Amino acid sequence: MPQFASMCRNCTAYCPIVVTVEDGRPIKVVGDREAPAFGGYTCPKGRELPAQHGHPDRVLDCRARDSAGAWHPVESGEAIGRIAARIDAIRLQHGPRSVAVYYGTGNVTNCNGSAMARAWMSAIGSRMMFSAMAIDKPAANVSLALHGNWHAGTHPFEVSDTWMIVGANPVIAKSNGAPFNNPGLRLKEAANAGMNLIVIDPRRTETSQRAKLHLRPLPGQDAAILAAMIRIIIAEQLYDADFVAGNARGLAELTEAVAPFTTAHAAARAGLAQEEIIAAARLFAAGTRGGVVCATGPSFSTDSNLTFYLGLCLNTLCGRWVRAGETAPYPNVLLPAFTPRAQPYAPYPAVGSFPMRVHGLHDAASGLPTAALADEILEPGEGQVRALIVMGGNPMLSWPDQRKVERALRSLDLLVVLDHQMTPTARMADYVFGIPLGLETAGSTTRIEALKYVGASRGYSFPWAQYTDKIVDAPPGSDLVEDAEFFFRLGQAMGLQLNWTNSYGFGPHVETPPQVTPLDMSRVPTTEELLELTCNQSRVPLADVRRHPHGHVFPIEVIVEPRASDCDALLELADETMMRDLARVACIASAPDPDELLLVSRRINTVMNSVGHGIAALGRGMDYAPAYLHPDDLGDRGLSAGDLVVLRSRSGEMIARVEGDDTLRRGIVAVIHGFDQALADDDPTARSRSVTALIDMSERDPISGIPRMSALPIRMEKYVPSAGSAIGNVL
Ligand SMILES: Nc1nc2c(c(=O)[nH]1)N[C@H]1C(S)=C(S)[C@@H](COP(=O)(O)OP(=O)(O)OC[C@H]3O[C@@H](n4cnc5c(=O)[nH]c(N)nc54)[C@H](O)[C@@H]3O)O[C@H]1N2
Ligand SMILES: Nc1nc2c(c(=O)[nH]1)N[C@H]1C(S)=C(S)[C@@H](COP(=O)(O)OP(=O)(O)OC[C@H]3O[C@@H](n4cnc5c(=O)[nH]c(N)nc54)[C@H](O)[C@@H]3O)O[C@H]1N2
Ligand code: SF4
Ligand SMILES: [Mo]
């Protein structure tokens, strides 16, 4: 049977795979052993691509919902025409700001979509483009804006001797904290080579098992822990004084601001031993190369900007940035050639000038505040959002405050969803467009390289690139519309000129000036043409990358140049907002209520957010989100593994199924997001199965708008279904 090399695009790892095809359908996916650097790695989600592509519930058409709620298939061109007319009318009546786009993690599969959506939004004059980034790790971008970034980047994992991971589990998530190419193996190799790995996580994880030092604190205390580490490193003069003197400002102010964070203070509030914090500080400072990586754990908890900022301060204090004469990591292959310098990108304001109508928020370094979009839709008045296009996202299971999100989405004049599954969001739409899946579209690693511009993750540290043709056609008889194609055809139907922009930069700092290409609006560009367009200034021509079907590590070596003579930029150790946050955090007394548990977020290997639950080998019959607790916490509450419980926060409740997990600290409940809920359309009393039902907007970050989604106090009780209740019936 024919076999084709390709890559899985279900997450940003983009693992090289080999696909076996029978009768035009993918039937088997395995890791590509011929691909360099990845070692044939795949995860269960990648191996289940054939089941995902051939899923009986997959949306293979375009459909419209009538006023009675019934779905009818509609030819995609007809639907696009009707949507164009509706949007024109809404735009005319309410102004361009009333039209919004939300794009989520589904865009990892087909990266052209967000660029085309941006072109379309720019053509209609709306800036209301929101992404999942602002409810993921917005603090990464905010902190880099306030601290400044470094041209040549951080030391990559591969050359580091010291590494600290705060609230990430890269072995499972392949996202932050370890290289994308088989992170489990990379961590094991590093541990064997003696890497000083420090992990801060309230759980013992697949990642912390490789650590020399695992701090298992209460969640939400990372800022205090990092501040105490900084205090020790400064007091014991363990920092790189030469690097700081030449490249940073604010050491004296930072020293003063961390003074209240004595080891005793931090240890008491985080529930750690003082020795653990001292050991972490000394171990981190003793290394020569490495860095701190903060991820969703601290991002979802309190004071996320501050935690990420202090992580950057630790890097700067210890000089953990790549220096002149060293090999540049993250070299551009499909991005334009670039020679980095050993110098900072100057800090810039994290808050922009485009105001939201709610909560005093603005656009920010992390993008528009997605968590506030439901309020933007509900808040009456000029500029109210009336039309929303959702591409590769699932707001009903990802935005905070599910009840409010439901009200907001129902109140829209127009909701369009592009997805391959009838998600709870899609079920509320006016139009749903089925989309081709990964193996049905060409793809390249360009946008994964470009992750280095969004701060949250650095992409590939070595010169890796791959291109894949589409491996199979969409199922016969289907009417699928690719994300980019949707926005292009909508532009055509509205008589707009769309301009495609390639940008290469971090905030206001550019590596290479942006390049704008007016698109020929007379015919729909192919995916392949758009991939070419994305690469038209690449260091290695796309044609060369295409010659290596298994991907290739290109022989590119770029040496970091010294600071330019006209560069006087400095990294900022004492940003005013962050120093104020430090003073505020120092005064917060944290005594957890013994009747409450602290909710934290975590991921599992088999599902990706809300994707995969319906595939038998992945969902494995999980009907409710598992809520993991220490077995003694279960016992104390008279609960057994498998029991259903109600989790109640101050603002909402959900039903989950408990599981014992002795890797957790006591007093914590870890819940996975992305589970579909029993919010049956016709039963407003049905309880949610989604953790987003517990989150509200009352405690939100003033810059990015992300609310507290972890370290959230909740109460828990056994669920006893009442006779005739919706959930009772489900059971
Ligand atoms: N309480 C709580 N809230 C959270 C989180 C949490 O842990 N707890 N996690 C947060 C994080 S980190 C994130 S990133 C967000 C995620 O938020 P979202 O991105 O909104 O949610 P996903 O579940 O990832 O939805 C992705 C959707 O894209 C679809 N899809 C897949 N491929 C494609 C494609 O090529 N095109 C299109 N059009 N669709 C595609 C999938 O079927 C799926 O429905 O949620 C955030 N919200
Ligand atoms: N298999 C799989 N892979 C995925 C995803 C998925 O759903 N499944 N989702 C993708 C997405 S959208 C993202 S953003 C990434 C996320 O990738 P990661 O950020 O690595 O997410 P997690 O694996 O949940 O790891 C977060 C860790 O933080 C810990 N934690 C929770 N609260 C705190 C806290 O307050 N402080 C500290 N120090 N730790 C805390 C949790 O116990 C958990 O182990 O993964 C991506 N990859
Ligand atoms: S880690 Fe899994 S889901 Fe992510 S790209 Fe690799 S095989 Fe696909
Ligand atoms: Mo995410």
Side-chain angles (χ1 to χ4, degrees):
M1 264 173 277
Q3 294 191 324
F4 301 93
S6 184
M7 51 200 183
C8 173
R9 279 155 282 161
N10 266 7
C11 82
T12 48
Y14 270 40
C15 299
I17 51 175
V18 174
V19 188
T20 307
V21 176
E22 186 182 47
D23 298 333
R25 304 306 309 145
I27 57 159
K28 189 174 178 197
V29 166
V30 293
D32 184 355
R33 298 202 164 274
E34 286 182 59
F38 282 75
Y41 178 81
T42 49
C43 81
K45 301 181 293 301
R47 295 192 292 275
E48 289 302 320
L49 283 172
Q52 189 189 33
H53 283 61
H55 200 282
D57 296 338
R58 184 174 162 192
V59 180
L60 290 172
D61 57 7
C62 171
R63 51 187 77 170
R65 198 165 56 95
D66 64 25
S67 50
W71 289 96
H72 306 278
V74 46
E75 194 273 318
S76 59
E78 159 77 19
I80 287 172
R82 285 194 225 157
I83 293 167
R86 287 276 281 279
I87 288 184
D88 263 336
I90 291 169
R91 196 162 63 126
L92 202 65
Q93 193 180 349
H94 303 285
R97 202 183 189 285
S98 61
V99 181
V101 167
Y102 168 67
Y103 61 106
T105 58
N107 285 271
V108 171
T109 314
N110 186 341
C111 299
N112 291 330
S114 55
M116 193 66 87
R118 211 169 282 288
W120 180 79
M121 286 291 271
S122 159
I124 66 164
S126 172
R127 290 182 62 178
M128 298 293 277
M129 195 154 160
F130 295 76
S131 86
M133 285 250 305
I135 45 171
D136 174 329
K137 292 172 284 290
N141 305 73
V142 169
S143 60
L144 279 166
L146 299 178
H147 180 77
N149 200 346
W150 190 254
H151 257 229
T154 45
H155 295 139
F157 181 88
E158 291 89 335
V159 304
S160 294
D161 52 25
T162 307
W163 198 254
M164 186 159 88
I165 297 178
V166 187
N169 189 11
V171 176
I172 298 301
K174 290 99 189 166
S175 175
N176 264 247
F180 289 180
N181 52 323
N182 196 345
L185 182 61
R186 300 284 92 84
L187 276 159
K188 187 173 167 194
E189 288 167 351
N192 290 344
M195 175 184 267
N196 291 323
L197 176 66
I198 305 162
V199 171
I200 305 185
D201 195 312
R203 293 191 304 133
R204 195 166 63 242
T205 63
E206 295 80 354
T207 301
S208 74
Q209 277 163 11
R210 304 275 177 223
K212 284 233 169 110
L213 193 60
H214 175 199
L215 271 50
R216 211 149 55 125
L218 284 167
Q221 299 299 335
D222 301 288
I225 299 168
L226 299 193
M229 286 177 64
I230 289 175
R231 187 175 177 279
I232 295 164
I233 287 170
I234 295 175
E236 297 186 3
Q237 300 193 352
L238 303 176
Y239 62 97
D240 184 335
D242 288 345
F243 180 83
V244 172
N247 297 287
R249 66 156 305 280
L251 179 61
E253 296 98 311
L254 178 66
T255 308
E256 199 180 313
V258 295
F261 294 90
T262 61
T263 315
H265 171 85
R269 53 190 289 172
L272 294 170
Q274 293 194 45
E275 295 71 37
E276 293 180 280
I277 297 178
I278 296 169
R282 290 183 182 156
L283 195 60
F284 185 78
T288 56
R289 288 161 182 240
V292 182
V293 181
C294 300
T296 55
S299 165
F300 296 161
S301 300
T302 36
D303 308 304
S304 53
N305 295 335
L306 182 60
T307 304
F308 280 66
Y309 184 82
L310 295 175
L312 292 172
C313 290
L314 273 168
N315 282 341
T316 295
L317 283 172
C318 295
R320 302 288 157 78
W321 301 104
V322 178
R323 311 297 179 85
E326 294 185 337
T327 301
Y330 317 100
N332 297 354
V333 182
L334 286 172
L335 298 174
F338 166 69
T339 303
R341 290 183 176 276
Q343 69 188 37
Y345 280 128
Y348 64 93
V351 182
S353 56
F354 177 57
M356 295 291 99
R357 298 179 314 126
V358 296
H359 308 307
L361 291 162
H362 289 78
D363 65 314
S366 45
L368 298 185
T370 300
L373 183 46
D375 283 326
E376 280 284 334
I377 295 169
L378 288 168
E379 179 72 25
E382 206 186 317
Q384 184 178 10
V385 173
R386 303 307 317 149
L388 176 67
I389 302 173
V390 174
M391 168 175 63
N394 192 357
M396 278 294 288
L397 301 186
S398 66
W399 294 1
D401 201 342
Q402 190 182 46
R403 288 274 178 209
K404 183 184 280 179
V405 174
E406 187 191 10
R407 266 192 290 128
L409 297 185
R410 284 200 197 291
S411 75
L412 287 163
D413 292 343
L414 177 68
L415 175 61
V416 178
V417 172
L418 312 175
D419 210 307
H420 59 90
Q421 39 178 12
M422 281 306 278
T423 64
T425 308
R427 296 201 290 269
M428 293 165 65
D430 300 291
Y431 294 91
V432 175
F433 288 78
I435 47 134
L437 281 167
L439 300 177
E440 295 155 1
T441 51
S444 79
T445 47
T446 318
R447 302 256 185 217
I448 306 301
E449 273 187 41
L451 283 178
K452 70 177 197 175
Y453 300 136
V454 292
S457 183
R458 277 240 165 206
Y460 308 116
S461 63
F462 54 101
W464 164 256
Q466 190 173 5
Y467 177 91
T468 176
D469 284 318
K470 77 169 172 178
I471 302 299
V472 291
D473 287 326
S478 53
D479 178 10
L480 303 180
V481 181
E482 260 187 56
D483 296 325
E485 179 192 345
F486 171 81
F487 284 100
F488 185 88
R489 287 170 63 187
L490 195 55
Q492 275 183 321
M494 294 171 73
L496 303 168
Q497 169 61 49
L498 303 193
N499 300 316
W500 178 273
T501 307
N502 287 335
S503 22
Y504 317 95
F506 162 75
H509 303 288
V510 292
E511 268 184 17
T512 302
Q515 190 203 37
V516 181
T517 311
L519 295 174
D520 169 5
M521 296 307 291
S522 66
R523 97 188 150 79
V524 182
T526 63
T527 315
E528 291 78 359
E529 285 167 341
L530 292 177
L531 292 171
E532 292 274 359
L533 189 53
T534 309
C535 292
N536 64 358
Q537 299 193 92
S538 58
R539 185 196 295 269
V540 175
L542 190 60
D544 288 1
V545 174
R546 294 184 69 161
R547 265 182 228 122
H548 301 273
H550 303 281
H552 193 58
V553 180
F554 287 85
I556 297 169
E557 189 170 9
V558 182
I559 302 299
V560 175
E561 290 188 358
R563 186 189 265 270
S565 55
D566 62 349
C567 171
D568 56 7
L570 292 173
L571 297 167
E572 177 59 82
L573 289 169
D575 171 77
E576 223 175 283
T577 317
M578 294 294 98
M579 296 305 101
R580 269 203 307 274
D581 275 5
L582 262 177
R584 180 181 48 76
V585 170
C587 301
I588 299 172
S590 82
D593 180 334
D595 291 335
E596 289 183 334
L597 293 159
L598 286 175
L599 173 92
V600 300
S601 156
R602 60 161 291 192
R603 261 104 177 123
I604 45 173
N605 211 14
T606 44
V607 294
M608 164 81 182
N609 300 348
S610 68
V611 182
H613 302 73
I615 295 168
L618 300 179
R620 295 186 298 196
M622 282 189 292
D623 49 357
Y624 291 86
Y628 301 91
L629 281 96
H630 192 279
D632 293 344
D633 280 336
L634 281 183
D636 286 356
R637 288 168 171 74
L639 293 167
S640 310
D643 282 347
L644 284 181
V645 291
V646 185
L647 303 182
R648 213 168 261 131
S649 69
R650 270 150 220 166
S651 65
E653 54 187 42
M654 75 176 286
I655 306 223
R657 211 180 265 293
V658 287
E659 281 195 28
D661 177 358
D662 66 5
T663 71
L664 273 165
R665 252 191 98 103
R666 292 202 58 180
I668 289 173
V669 53
V671 184
I672 300 163
H673 89 129
F675 277 75
D676 204 342
Q677 79 291 319
L679 270 182
D681 288 353
D682 49 357
D683 182 1
T685 63
R687 265 33 176 272
S688 177
R689 298 182 206 193
S690 167
V691 71
T692 52
L694 302 179
I695 319 291
D696 67 18
M697 278 290 284
S698 59
E699 213 184 325
R700 63 183 165 272
D701 181 82
I703 299 177
S704 69
I706 193 173
R708 190 204 280 226
M709 311 206 296
S710 204
L712 185 76
I714 57 152
R715 287 171 190 257
M716 189 174 80
E717 66 196 47
K718 191 164 176 166
Y719 179 66
V720 186
S722 58
S725 79
I727 288 195
N729 291 340
V730 171
L731 288 172

